[in-house]
Amino acid sequence: MNKGMIKTLLKKRILILDGATGTELQKRGMPAGVCPERWCTENPEVIQAVQRDYREAGADMVYTCTFGGNRLKLSEYGVTDVKEINRKLAVLSRQAVGTRVLVAGDIGPTGRFVEPFGDLPFEEAVTIFKEQVAGLVAGGVDLFVIETMMDIQEARAALLAVKETGDYFTIVTMTYEPDGRTLNGTDPVTALITLQSIGADAVGCNCSAGPEAMMEWIGAMKPYATVPLAAKPNAGIPRLVGKTTTFDMDPVAFGAFSNPFAAVGVNLLGGCCGTTPDHIGALKRALGATPPVPPRRKSLAAVSSARGHVILDRDKPLFVIGERINPTGKKALQQELREGKTSLVRQMAREQEDQGADLLDVNVGVPGIDEPLAMKSLLRALAGTTGLPLVIDSPKVDTIAAALRLYPGRALLNSISGERERMEKLLPLAARYGAMFILLPLLDGEIPETAAGRSKVVRDVYRAARRYRFTKEDFIVDGLVMTVAANPDAPVETLKTVSWCSRSFGCRTVLGVSNVSFGLPERKWLNAAFLTMAQAAGLTVAIANPANLELMAMKKASDVFLGKDRGAAIYIESFRDGDKTEKKPAGGAPLTTSEQVHQAILVGNRDDIVGFIAGLLESDAGMSAARTVEEFMIPAILRVGELYEQKTYFLPQLIASAEAMKKGLDHLEPLLRAAKSGGASKGVILLATVQGDIHDIGKNIVALMLRNYGYDVIDLGKDVATKTVIEHMKKCKPAVVGLSALMTTTMIAMKDVMELARSEGLATPFILGGAVVTDAYATSMGAAYARDGVEAVRVVEKLLKLS
């Protein structure tokens, strides 16, 4: 079935998706620890029976058994022919359900984080997914589903792999933690904005939660969705009954959520872990002929980062793009960019965010540097530093192309002018990556002097943009600010342009405010006055330095008078402690060497931590390696843990800080070893991902955090046999053993390890973790529970105090 037919079908009714595959295969004889993809090709009658059962239960769509069908996952089992095994499994699915049921090529995560959040290069990730896509296409799938994604960048890589292969209907579903964010800190609305802009045909969530929590996430996305929404919740919470992992929601209770899901706007509905054909049948019967709620928007003016988004509603307070990450006139920043460093950029980003910027402009225009390389370096640094969306600012097409491909969100491109060559190169580029753009009404290198001339260029660019399906929601017109010192009429024409765009043409506007005062004294007053006039004319966004307190104060006052700050709530909060324009902008005295060390770990500055430590030891004759660790490094990593628990920091910042800490400790290790003369550590911790499970991202983070806190960690890796864990317990005599599992089908291995350990007389305490593991589940087996690396450190220390 082609893409258009699927879209037509979704307009008529809510589509029913299948349920869990792994648990069904296990019930029907698949042993633990095998490769599900290979096992299904060797036992085709079993997977086909599961899929036929879902068809008979009423599913409109079944997923191929290729969740782990990528090169990285298959290589764990010695499978090398990626294309062929995906092709075979797609053919088996088609044979099982015929042509009346849709067959979706199922793509799951690789098990590694993708740059800028991890060590898997983005282009390599795209290539890995393209291999899998090629096999599924050869097997005749109708569409694709990219599911259970924890990393928005990996989801982007998989989606681009599909889109760059062909025009296939593609569903992308993320998996969220109980707090409503992915491990990387992406919330459902942010994920929606990113994925629908880059070409996902349906977006949603699956796994990790039951129907009640998932309905909230679908409800949050619906007002901003331009595409159908999909949900595949678990059958409640997992628990252990004997040697079997079960879920607490039976088919009738599960099916009862079908109409509430329809009411909040779901368009594709099925089940994940713990659901069976009976659960899907119950959904189908309860749903009946309930009509779908279509997407409420055709387009959306919004930008996103990996951890946040900005919806550019015109009735909201004026948005501010922080302008400082631009090397023009900044010698220190120019030097840093030439050296490939990012400390100053990180600092500028943090300061502008604290000062009230909504977006950050990023420009790397320094003569003689590799601009695409420098831009990608900055994007990697900023991904873990700020949650603000970025504005990609460059006159060079290759720099923009490199940035848009790597950027883990929906960017704002600055800018596309009316010059034909630039339009022809940048409009398709912006469309390919789903970017919004700033429309610059400039033609042949010249700025039209009048508003009428600028409006003509705006219409021309818009006409060209429509060919790439851009709407007026997808761009922001720059009114073009010229200095009043050179032309007294220039500001008036700019204001006329803003007014025409806002009130007649119906689009958003942006101005680089400070240009108006160039060449005149006391520029801050001219800038502030001009800004208030532009706001009254309908300005949506200002490019400015948020450290300019007068400008920011006038912005907030104007928001009140224009009815965009109802009840003056933002204004009151900003000035609760008095007139902040009397205070000096942020910046202050330079950091001391000890503060630099502390700050480097706090913000995850892996580039400069070693240099800062060396500077501290050199500048302070009385400073030892041990004091450096105890007084500056450990307090910093403790603060990182606090910020993570408060949900101020998310996994990218946690990893960056932990790696900065590790890099610093590695540098100090010879000095520490000499001082301690081989002194004992805080204890030995044994870690393993249990047999049959090849996921180890969470475990690796736990290991990194425990090492940073002074523990000796023995990491046995993933898919570790039960007997191997016991052998190492006897040999190494660890203080605590940590076990991890991501899949419901492998959770039972945790109990096997614990039972064998007790039967062998080993009383070592256990700590359990992983996406499907809960506190109650761990407690039922007499183990402790940790949901992440930060909590694991605290739990280990508590266990050691009790022992």
Side-chain angles (χ1 to χ4, degrees):
M1 188 178 293
N2 65 36
K3 186 172 179 177
M5 294 171 70
I6 297 172
K7 288 185 173 182
T8 299
L9 196 58
L10 280 164
K11 291 177 182 178
K12 295 178 179 178
R13 60 189 176 89
I14 297 171
L15 296 187
I16 298 296
L17 310 176
D18 65 7
T21 296
T23 47
E24 286 299 301
L25 291 173
Q26 194 175 48
K27 284 184 205 173
R28 303 181 195 208
M30 185 180 76
V34 301
C35 172
E37 289 77 18
R38 181 164 59 190
W39 191 86
C40 284
T41 61
E42 295 169 350
N43 300 271
E45 70 284 354
V46 181
I47 182 60
Q48 289 185 314
V50 171
Q51 293 175 329
R52 280 194 296 270
D53 285 350
Y54 280 124
R55 179 193 66 187
E56 296 306 312
D60 298 300
M61 184 187 302
V62 298
Y63 291 10
T64 58
C65 185
T66 55
F67 177 78
N70 61 72
R71 184 206 309 165
L72 294 183
K73 288 283 187 68
L74 292 174
S75 66
E76 299 285 342
Y77 300 102
V79 178
T80 57
D81 197 339
V82 174
K83 181 176 180 181
E84 181 58 15
I85 198 167
N86 278 276
R87 186 195 68 78
K88 284 181 179 178
L89 290 165
V91 169
L92 289 176
S93 298
R94 176 62 69 206
Q95 292 172 346
V97 301
T99 57
R100 291 185 297 110
V101 173
L102 294 166
V103 174
D106 190 9
I107 297 173
T110 62
R112 288 169 63 184
F113 284 123
V114 179
E115 73 168 321
F117 306 116
D119 63 349
L120 181 61
F122 184 75
E123 292 305 328
E124 185 179 344
V126 174
T127 299
I128 286 168
F129 287 123
K130 280 184 177 178
E131 295 168 352
Q132 187 176 5
V133 169
L136 292 168
V137 168
V141 297
D142 296 298
L143 71 158
F144 287 89
V145 59
I146 297 162
E147 63 156 324
T148 324
M149 287 287 169
M150 299 176 284
D151 176 1
I152 190 67
Q153 188 70 324
E154 187 172 32
R156 287 184 73 252
L159 181 54
L160 283 172
V162 175
K163 295 300 178 184
E164 291 173 1
T165 301
D167 189 21
Y168 302 101
F169 190 96
T170 307
I171 306 165
V172 186
T173 56
M174 307 293 292
T175 184
Y176 297 98
E177 299 293 296
D179 65 350
R181 289 181 179 265
T182 67
L183 281 174
N184 272 9
T186 307
D187 65 88
V189 176
T190 295
L192 171 76
I193 291 167
T194 297
L195 294 168
Q196 69 184 11
S197 71
I198 205 172
D201 299 292
V203 175
C205 36
N206 77 288
C207 201
S208 76
E212 204 163 355
M214 205 162 282
M215 278 197 304
E216 285 187 29
W217 302 335
I218 294 293
M221 286 188 275
K222 194 66 179 183
Y224 308 106
T226 63
V227 298
L229 298 181
K232 259 195 161 195
N234 292 342
I237 299 171
R239 56 193 175 90
L240 196 65
V241 178
K243 286 201 169 186
T244 305
T245 300
T246 63
F247 285 75
D248 62 4
M249 189 171 286
D250 63 28
V252 174
F254 189 78
F257 281 96
S258 61
N259 280 290
F261 259 117
V264 297
V266 82
N267 304 99
L268 303 100
L269 182 61
C272 206
C273 298
T275 59
T276 66
D278 289 341
H279 286 79
I280 300 306
L283 269 186
K284 178 77 171 180
R285 289 189 297 274
L287 189 65
T290 304
V293 178
R296 297 172 187 171
R297 297 176 182 254
K298 292 186 177 180
S299 56
L300 177 69
V303 287
S304 60
S305 68
R307 300 194 308 281
H309 61 271
V310 174
I311 297 170
L312 297 164
D313 286 341
R314 284 189 279 174
D315 61 351
K316 294 288 179 65
L318 182 75
F319 299 95
V320 174
I321 297 174
E323 67 181 5
R324 291 180 58 203
I325 305 177
N326 187 321
T328 303
K330 300 183 181 77
K331 291 184 179 180
L333 181 55
Q334 291 173 12
Q335 185 62 30
E336 183 170 87
L337 291 173
R338 288 193 181 96
E339 294 174 358
K341 296 181 178 180
T342 60
S343 297
L344 188 54
V345 168
R346 292 171 189 263
Q347 179 184 335
M348 288 178 168
R350 290 191 303 272
E351 288 177 351
Q352 290 183 100
E353 184 171 5
D354 291 343
Q355 291 156 355
D358 301 292
L359 298 88
L360 298 178
D361 187 84
V362 179
N363 184 300
V364 294
V366 176
I369 69 168
D370 183 332
E371 282 197 22
L373 188 65
M375 180 64 81
K376 289 194 288 187
S377 176
L378 260 61
L379 294 184
R380 292 187 191 99
L382 292 174
T385 301
T386 179
L388 298 186
L390 300 185
V391 181
I392 307 303
D393 183 1
S394 176
K396 297 186 177 181
V397 175
D398 58 345
T399 301
I400 291 171
L404 293 182
R405 188 161 181 85
L406 182 64
Y407 182 63
R410 188 189 193 196
L412 177 61
L413 192 165
N414 188 8
S415 58
I416 299 178
S417 66
E419 295 164 307
R420 181 169 300 278
E421 183 179 356
R422 194 161 175 85
M423 278 198 294
E424 289 176 351
K425 289 180 178 178
L426 290 180
L427 283 174
L429 195 59
R432 180 181 183 183
Y433 296 110
M436 288 188 70
F437 65 91
I438 292 176
L439 191 163
L440 200 64
L442 180 148
L443 194 60
D444 298 326
E446 294 186 3
I447 299 172
E449 290 190 4
T450 66
R454 294 172 194 177
S455 64
K456 182 181 182 306
V457 179
V458 170
R459 288 193 188 96
D460 289 344
V461 176
Y462 175 52
R463 193 177 301 113
R466 288 177 64 184
R467 294 198 292 269
Y468 297 93
R469 299 185 179 179
F470 284 110
T471 72
K472 292 179 182 178
E473 299 283 300
D474 297 315
F475 61 84
I476 307 172
V477 173
D478 190 330
L480 291 174
V481 178
M482 307 302 291
T483 175
V484 69
N487 181 358
D489 296 328
V492 174
E493 294 304 318
T494 297
L495 294 173
K496 286 180 180 177
T497 304
V498 169
S499 181
W500 173 81
C501 287
S502 176
R503 292 165 184 156
S504 299
F505 189 65
C507 70
R508 289 156 182 79
T509 53
V510 60
L511 293 177
V513 177
S514 62
N515 289 345
V516 75
S517 63
F518 186 77
L520 293 171
E522 293 297 325
R523 296 177 63 187
K524 60 187 178 183
W525 303 118
L526 291 166
N527 295 342
F530 184 65
L531 178 65
T532 60
M533 295 174 73
Q535 286 180 261
L539 184 67
T540 318
V541 185
I543 302 174
N545 181 356
N548 185 325
L549 300 180
E550 291 81 8
L551 194 76
M552 295 297 285
M554 293 301 289
K555 165 207 138 31
K556 292 168 186 174
S558 295
D559 286 335
V560 174
F561 293 139
L562 293 169
K564 295 184 176 184
D565 179 10
R566 293 291 180 181
I570 297 171
Y571 183 87
I572 291 170
E573 181 63 28
S574 299
F575 294 100
R576 186 182 302 277
D577 298 324
D579 183 359
K580 293 183 181 179
T581 61
E582 295 177 358
K583 301 177 183 178
K584 293 182 179 179
L591 297 177
T592 64
T593 51
S594 60
E595 289 171 339
Q596 286 177 332
V597 171
H598 182 279
Q599 187 74 5
I601 292 170
L602 193 63
V603 302
N605 184 355
R606 291 159 285 193
D607 297 334
D608 298 315
I609 180 68
V610 170
F612 291 155
I613 289 172
L616 175 60
L617 296 177
E618 183 179 334
S619 64
D620 188 339
M623 184 61 62
S624 66
R627 276 190 63 197
T628 300
V629 173
E630 292 168 8
E631 296 180 17
F632 308 115
M633 297 174 69
I634 287 179
I637 203 70
L638 287 171
R639 179 57 182 155
V640 169
E642 292 171 0
L643 292 169
Y644 182 74
E645 290 194 325
Q646 294 165 7
K647 301 301 179 184
T648 301
Y649 272 18
F650 295 95
L651 196 57
Q653 295 106 311
L654 179 67
I655 293 174
S657 292
E659 290 181 348
M661 179 81 172
K662 182 178 184 298
K663 194 170 181 180
L665 289 174
D666 288 346
H667 176 70
L668 290 170
E669 184 180 10
L671 296 173
L672 292 169
R673 190 167 56 244
K676 290 172 66 176
S677 301
S681 74
K682 292 174 71 174
V684 175
I685 312 297
L686 184 68
L687 298 179
T689 297
V690 294
Q691 188 166 15
D693 202 314
I694 58 172
H695 303 83
D696 65 352
I697 289 176
K699 171 187 62 67
N700 292 345
I701 295 167
V702 169
L704 184 61
M705 293 300 292
L706 286 168
R707 288 186 177 113
N708 281 344
Y709 278 79
Y711 294 96
D712 284 340
V713 177
I714 300 171
D715 187 349
L716 300 181
K718 50 195 172 185
D719 190 18
V720 181
T722 297
K723 288 183 179 179
T724 302
V725 178
I726 302 304
E727 288 169 0
H728 279 79
M729 288 178 68
K730 292 178 179 178
K731 178 182 176 182
C732 306
K733 295 181 173 51
V736 177
V737 176
L739 302 177
S740 173
L742 186 71
M743 302 183 295
T744 54
T745 53
T746 59
M747 290 169 70
I748 189 63
M750 291 177 162
K751 186 174 184 182
D752 293 341
V753 173
M754 292 186 65
E755 286 184 344
L756 184 56
R758 300 308 179 230
S759 70
E760 297 274 343
L762 300 170
T764 311
F766 283 84
I767 179 172
L768 309 183
V772 292
V773 181
T774 65
D775 194 358
Y777 190 88
T779 302
S780 72
M781 291 193 289
Y785 166 75
R787 67 179 181 272
D788 51 51
V790 173
E791 188 171 65
V793 172
R794 188 171 63 248
V795 172
V796 165
E797 293 189 335
K798 182 178 179 181
L799 290 172
L800 293 184
K801 285 180 182 177
L802 293 174
S803 62

